[in-house]
Amino acid sequence: MGLSQSYIAAKFGIAERDLERYLAEALGSGGDYADLFFEHLATTSFSLDESIVKGATQGVSMGVGIRVISGERTGYAYSDDLSPERILRAARVAACIASGPSKIQTTGLREAAIRNLYPVVVAPTETELGGRVELVKRADDAARAYDARIFHVQVVYADNLRHTLVATSDGTLSHDRQPLTRISVSALAREGGGPPQRGSSGGGGRVGLEFFDNHSTPEFFAREAARQAVLLLDAVPAPAGEMTVVLGPGWPGILVHEAVGHGLEADFNRKGVSAFSGRIGEQVAGPLCTIVDDGTIAHRRGSLNVDDEGTPTEKNVLIEKGVLRGYLQDRLSSRLMRSPATGSGRRESYQSIPIPRMTNTYLMAGESDPEEILRSVSKGVYCKSFGGGQVDITSGNFVFSASESYLIEGGRLGPPLRDVTLVGNGPEALKWISMVGNDLQLDLGVGICGKEGQSVPVGVGIPTVKIDRMTVGGAA
């Protein structure tokens, strides 16, 4: 226990015997399971607007969340005061959902084997602020230099270093050190008296500042944002109606995340409110579709050594060649559905209860050449990047806006389009996938997913994909 004990003492000022005492208190009124989630979070963020750093924040938060599970009921309490009295009080509050003497006997805690998917020696939060400010200034300069029609640039930088400790009543003790950093650039272009057009780009991950020294430089993201904004100045109104849609590789995987991924989270399925409920083993997509959620990819924004319940993350095949194989399980859902936990229990902070969430979700590569896919379309729309979107979990219906798209005519890319929206149904859209490219890409590292008021970092990905039928909204 040497490493864990020193880690616990250094970050949270508690001993192993304290953890066992708190777990016993949480189960003092009964209950089937209890866990403790300690978090120490250091954050930095600042924004540059009009070439001036106008807002900056730094902070540190620390606390513990205590959960007790009794059947289908969950009791949860948290404290930002780590004194024994306050933690014991939170444990008793969480225990209020249970009744009767505890049948669970806590045992000595065992340190779980830990891997290191993001071996960052020096996290950005631990560096001098001046070096990070220089990154946003470089991005601002590059975006403004791209084209004279760029008239406004905003750059946002954010990083954090999160230490977690999870102790469970079944005897598991796990901890993690999770760095995270991101730069986002937004640029506005205008020509004459026309309306302004916006472009955006950014990236990051569980990385150090050296990440921004290679191809993922601030200048790269800035020029990409400026390129999109300038491109839209010459965009034509989008067509409307049912047509063939081709999704480009990378960030368009957000459509899979939203329209399909959320519907595969176990809490929706054990409640029977997902379009995929009760369908394991059924053909729910075309045979070219294999969808994976993988929290084990090194340095990725959505990756974790262990989830926020202390369970190691996994590479989970959710849909295999069109057949539904399983759901994303947290501990509660896995107990109730009698399925193994998949390392998918995530929470925004110690103040939040863990729920099933995605990590890095993507559609596996196929065998088609991307150029061949494009040539196969006589008329349609090519979507290279997406903005926002909405999905109804129960029905699977979605609406997405494309931030960069092109008309396809005669197998070639035509003019850029503006005001493109995609309207459809997640399960139905999967059935109409007729070609899948061999060019799988993951996004550059800016994804944030919201669910039940909680936001967590995620990743998405997709190869070039041809969908034979989808409703495109645009000009009539």
Side-chain angles (χ1 to χ4, degrees):
M1 292 297 300
L3 176 61
S4 286
Q5 193 59 57
S6 61
Y7 178 91
I8 295 168
K11 281 297 165 190
F12 304 107
I14 53 179
E16 180 184 343
R17 63 180 178 274
D18 297 325
L19 300 175
E20 295 172 353
R21 178 186 176 196
Y22 302 147
L23 286 169
E25 188 71 27
L27 290 171
S29 298
D32 306 319
Y33 169 86
D35 58 25
L36 314 172
F37 176 81
F38 291 84
E39 179 185 56
H40 180 283
L41 180 67
T43 60
T44 303
S45 65
F46 49 86
S47 60
L48 184 145
D49 197 355
E50 297 180 325
S51 300
I52 302 170
V53 176
K54 292 189 173 181
T57 62
Q58 280 191 310
V60 175
S61 65
M62 183 165 60
V64 60
I66 302 178
R67 176 174 60 163
V68 177
I69 295 176
S70 180
E72 296 189 15
R73 297 176 296 166
T74 299
Y76 195 77
Y78 64 86
S79 173
D80 59 2
D81 182 339
L82 297 187
S83 65
E85 296 79 12
R86 291 290 184 176
I87 297 177
L88 288 169
R89 179 179 178 182
R92 287 191 288 270
V93 171
C96 287
I97 59 108
S99 62
S102 175
K103 297 179 181 179
I104 305 298
Q105 297 297 320
T106 58
T107 59
L109 294 168
R110 305 175 304 276
E111 181 183 341
I114 200 78
R115 59 196 166 193
N116 195 355
L117 298 172
Y118 24 85
V120 177
V121 177
V122 179
T125 304
E126 301 170 324
T127 66
E128 291 293 327
L129 188 61
R132 290 173 277 171
V133 172
E134 184 62 26
L135 294 176
V136 301
K137 290 182 177 179
R138 286 166 53 188
D140 181 69
D141 290 343
R144 293 181 182 277
Y146 182 85
D147 193 288
R149 291 169 288 181
I150 299 293
F151 70 94
H152 183 265
V153 177
Q154 184 177 48
V155 187
V156 177
Y157 172 92
D159 64 40
N160 66 62
L161 181 59
R162 184 186 193 223
H163 294 270
T164 65
L165 172 70
V166 183
T168 72
S169 60
D170 57 14
T172 299
L173 179 67
S174 62
H175 57 83
D176 202 9
R177 174 182 182 266
Q178 303 166 358
L180 191 66
T181 186
R182 170 177 59 91
I183 286 180
S184 299
V185 186
S186 175
L188 291 177
R190 182 165 51 208
E191 188 164 32
Q197 301 296 331
R198 179 183 299 274
S200 61
S201 184
R206 299 199 181 278
V207 295
L209 292 182
E210 66 277 2
F211 175 84
F212 300 106
D213 291 333
N214 51 34
H215 74 283
S216 298
T217 61
E219 290 82 4
F220 169 81
F221 299 127
R223 291 171 189 140
E224 180 64 12
R227 181 195 65 80
Q228 288 182 15
V230 170
L231 177 82
L232 290 173
L233 294 174
D234 297 321
V236 300
E242 188 175 84
M243 61 190 71
T244 300
V245 171
V246 176
L247 304 179
W251 182 244
I254 190 66
L255 189 147
V256 173
H257 170 102
E258 293 287 358
V260 180
H262 276 300
L264 297 176
E265 291 167 339
D267 50 351
F268 296 124
N269 288 281
R270 67 180 171 84
K271 297 172 185 176
V273 297
S274 167
F276 296 99
S277 296
R279 301 187 64 188
I280 290 181
E282 293 184 17
Q283 193 84 24
V284 297
L288 298 178
C289 293
T290 295
I291 295 177
V292 171
D293 186 85
D294 188 355
T296 71
I297 309 173
H299 295 292
R300 290 297 306 175
R301 181 172 171 83
S303 294
L304 294 166
N305 290 315
V306 292
D307 70 4
D308 295 328
E309 298 179 302
T311 305
T313 54
E314 298 180 13
K315 180 178 181 179
N316 297 297
V317 178
L318 302 175
I319 295 175
E320 183 179 25
K321 296 181 179 179
V323 178
L324 180 60
R325 295 303 186 192
Y327 305 123
L328 294 172
Q329 301 278 0
D330 65 346
R331 282 182 179 258
L332 175 61
S333 292
S334 70
R335 292 167 71 92
L336 296 176
M337 299 179 76
R338 294 180 172 84
S339 297
T342 59
S344 307
R346 305 189 65 187
R347 64 182 105 199
E348 181 175 335
S349 76
Y350 70 89
Q351 300 179 18
S352 309
I353 195 166
I355 51 179
R357 305 294 298 271
M358 286 173 276
T359 55
N360 305 296
T361 311
Y362 55 91
L363 178 71
M364 292 286 285
E367 299 180 355
S368 296
D369 180 86
E371 293 297 326
E372 176 190 358
I373 293 175
L374 194 61
R375 287 194 297 268
S376 72
V377 181
S378 59
K379 186 173 183 179
V381 170
Y382 178 85
C383 297
K384 183 175 181 179
S385 187
F386 280 89
Q390 294 180 322
V391 62
D392 182 297
I393 299 299
T394 303
S395 65
N397 294 333
F398 63 79
V399 179
F400 279 91
S401 60
S403 56
E404 182 179 353
S405 55
Y406 300 84
L407 188 67
I408 304 174
E409 295 180 299
R412 298 174 179 268
L413 290 184
L417 303 172
R418 68 165 62 105
D419 302 325
V420 172
T421 59
L422 301 183
V423 181
N425 177 275
E428 285 299 314
L430 293 179
K431 294 177 181 179
W432 288 104
I433 292 178
S434 60
M435 300 180 77
V436 177
N438 56 14
D439 58 340
L440 171 64
Q441 293 180 23
L442 301 180
D443 74 288
L444 296 175
V446 295
I448 299 174
C449 175
K451 176 181 175 182
E452 296 185 14
Q454 298 189 44
S455 295
V456 296
V458 296
V460 300
I462 199 172
T464 299
V465 169
K466 178 183 177 183
I467 305 175
D468 287 340
R469 290 177 58 181
M470 183 172 287
T471 300
V472 177

